[in-house]
Amino acid sequence: MGTRVIGVVGPSGVGKDTVMEAMAEADARVRLVRRVITREAGAGGEKSVGATDAEFDALVAEGAFALWWAAHGLRYGVPRAAVEDQGGEAVVLVNLSRGVLDQARACFDAFSVLSLRAEIATLAHRLAARGRETAAEIEGRLAQADSARPTGADVIEVANDGALADTVQVALAALQPERV
């Protein structure tokens, strides 16, 4: 069957990384892609690989990324090795920007979108709790929360307002209905 790539998207504070980690813990076939980001490794709470601009440029020139893009003043790369065919029924989850979904669709043969959503009050609470943004930045992120929601036959939308275990169960069932 080959490796299936799932682009996980959603507004800031929806819990993309938390849900992805919990899905990988719940199902051994699910693997996480650590993105390369032009910031210090692990900054922002994400388990990422840090790179300077020069290092990122070198990786682009080497063809090390299956997909890369710029957003929020940073550059993000999906390592090619992490999404190459791993055989069996492997599913890889990668945190993507909504703006690169069409590129991802063109890049990966077996691709789907897991679009996480949450109520504005939930997002506001989570953004404030993580303490990374100012009140004005939080307001800006909340204003964009419902914009550019992905559409298409490959989009699976899951709410993440309740218990994490419930979100994970719904997401795994939706992504792999034959196993439920």
Side-chain angles (χ1 to χ4, degrees):
M1 175 176 162
T3 300
R4 184 170 172 207
V5 178
I6 309 296
V8 181
V9 299
S12 293
V14 79
K16 294 179 290 289
D17 292 316
T18 300
V19 170
M20 290 168 59
E21 288 178 19
M23 289 174 69
E25 287 177 18
D27 189 327
R29 295 171 297 156
V30 176
R31 298 182 182 103
L32 303 180
V33 174
R34 291 182 65 198
R35 302 184 298 180
V36 176
I37 305 175
T38 54
R39 67 178 177 202
E40 187 176 325
E46 178 181 347
K47 293 178 182 172
S48 61
V49 177
T52 65
D53 284 323
E55 290 167 337
F56 197 92
D57 289 341
L59 290 168
V60 169
E62 293 169 13
F65 298 130
L67 177 68
W68 69 272
W69 67 97
H72 309 294
L74 301 170
R75 290 186 291 165
Y76 301 80
V78 176
R80 187 174 305 283
V83 293
E84 288 179 338
D85 189 354
Q86 299 178 23
E89 295 182 352
V91 175
V92 295
L93 302 177
V94 60
N95 184 336
L96 294 179
S97 293
R98 291 172 276 189
V100 299
L101 290 178
D102 285 339
Q103 288 173 264
R105 287 174 173 122
C107 183
F108 305 116
D109 292 332
F111 180 76
S112 298
V113 178
L114 175 58
S115 178
L116 297 175
R117 61 178 167 73
E119 297 295 325
I120 294 295
T122 301
L123 296 174
H125 174 75
R126 289 178 182 161
L127 289 170
R130 71 185 188 184
R132 294 194 315 230
E133 296 95 355
T134 66
E137 289 170 330
I138 290 172
E139 281 186 42
R141 290 186 183 274
L142 293 174
Q144 296 176 341
D146 280 332
S147 67
R149 284 171 75 173
T151 58
D154 62 352
V155 176
I156 299 159
E157 190 169 270
V158 174
N160 187 29
D161 287 296
L164 177 60
D166 293 342
T167 300
V168 168
Q169 181 180 10
V170 169
L172 288 172
L175 292 172
Q176 302 170 44
E178 71 280 358
R179 300 288 301 228
V180 176

